[in-house]
Amino acid sequence: ERAGGLSYMVQDCLQGFLRSVQTQLRLLRGQSDGAVGRKMVKDIQQRLVVSLSCLCYLIPSVSYFWSLDALGGYLYLIVTVFSVIADGNWAPLPYEENLRLVDKWTASSAGVYTFLTLASHLSPRIFAAAITMTLIALYFLKMSRDVGVKAKKPGASRHDVWRWVWAHSAWHLVSAVAVAAGAIVSSSTYD
């Protein structure tokens, strides 16, 4: 019975992972996330908090530069800039949607780069760590997206938007720390 429970947990985790990938691919093509034409209305405090959380992506940028991987360092520096602009709604209105799409593409590209960098080490231990970090980060992204759809509904409360701010900030922190750890591990371990 215990093995069956573990099997269902792994199956649910993999299904959640596949749904997250499908959603991300849909968003990268500029398609809807379920809240067509709706915009989350954030007050200045919410915009500042989520923008500050975007600065977490400076952690992997520094880690990559420290690991002598300039491409990874610059990639996460670019992710930081576009994340602050898109998530904090700092772009002028005519360019806002295009900048959100650029944000999604740069962040996705950086995530793929990190995964491939870790997976390129043929060590099963590092590969397992890469898979684990990816699944954990995608869990937080999914949580943020689920809360975000509710926060974009007409009549959403300020509380709903704050839930998104904290969920999305958690995504920034968890994914940034995971990537930074991956950058350091991949530069120092070649077994």
Side-chain angles (χ1 to χ4, degrees), residues 9-189:
M9 188 173 83
V10 169
Q11 184 180 3
D12 286 348
C13 188
L14 289 174
Q15 285 176 346
F17 172 74
L18 291 174
R19 277 193 306 273
S20 294
V21 169
Q22 288 171 338
T23 300
Q24 188 67 8
L25 289 172
R26 203 171 53 249
L27 291 170
L28 290 173
R29 289 191 305 262
Q31 295 175 344
S32 169
D33 65 351
V36 179
R38 298 184 197 141
K39 181 180 174 191
M40 189 181 313
V41 179
K42 295 175 236 165
D43 63 30
I44 190 69
Q45 293 168 330
Q46 293 163 334
R47 292 172 64 195
L48 287 171
V49 169
V50 79
S51 295
L52 286 173
S53 77
C54 295
L55 297 178
C56 288
Y57 289 119
L58 291 174
I59 299 168
S61 181
V62 169
S63 296
Y64 272 115
F65 282 125
W66 181 78
S67 301
L68 303 177
D69 181 346
L71 178 59
Y74 286 119
L75 192 54
Y76 277 93
L77 196 57
I78 292 167
V79 167
T80 303
V81 170
F82 281 106
S83 185
V84 167
I85 293 169
D87 292 350
N89 296 94
W90 302 112
L93 277 176
Y95 306 106
E96 192 171 2
E97 284 307 310
N98 290 336
L99 284 170
R100 285 186 199 287
L101 193 58
V102 171
D103 172 49
K104 286 175 178 46
W105 272 98
T106 56
S108 296
S109 299
V112 168
Y113 176 81
T114 299
F115 181 81
L116 292 176
T117 301
L118 283 172
S120 68
H121 299 286
L122 298 178
S123 164
R125 196 176 54 204
I126 294 176
F127 186 73
I131 294 288
T132 303
M133 290 187 312
T134 301
L135 290 175
I136 291 169
L138 286 174
Y139 169 79
F140 278 91
L141 177 61
K142 182 185 179 315
M143 179 178 67
S144 167
R145 291 233 172 99
D146 290 347
V147 172
V149 168
K150 183 176 181 184
K152 289 180 182 179
K153 287 185 178 177
S157 70
R158 189 169 188 264
H159 175 73
D160 291 331
V161 178
W162 271 114
R163 284 185 61 216
W164 176 84
V165 167
W166 295 119
H168 205 67
S169 296
W171 149 249
H172 290 157
L173 179 62
V174 168
S175 62
V177 169
V179 169
I184 292 168
V185 166
S186 69
S187 72
S188 61
T189 309

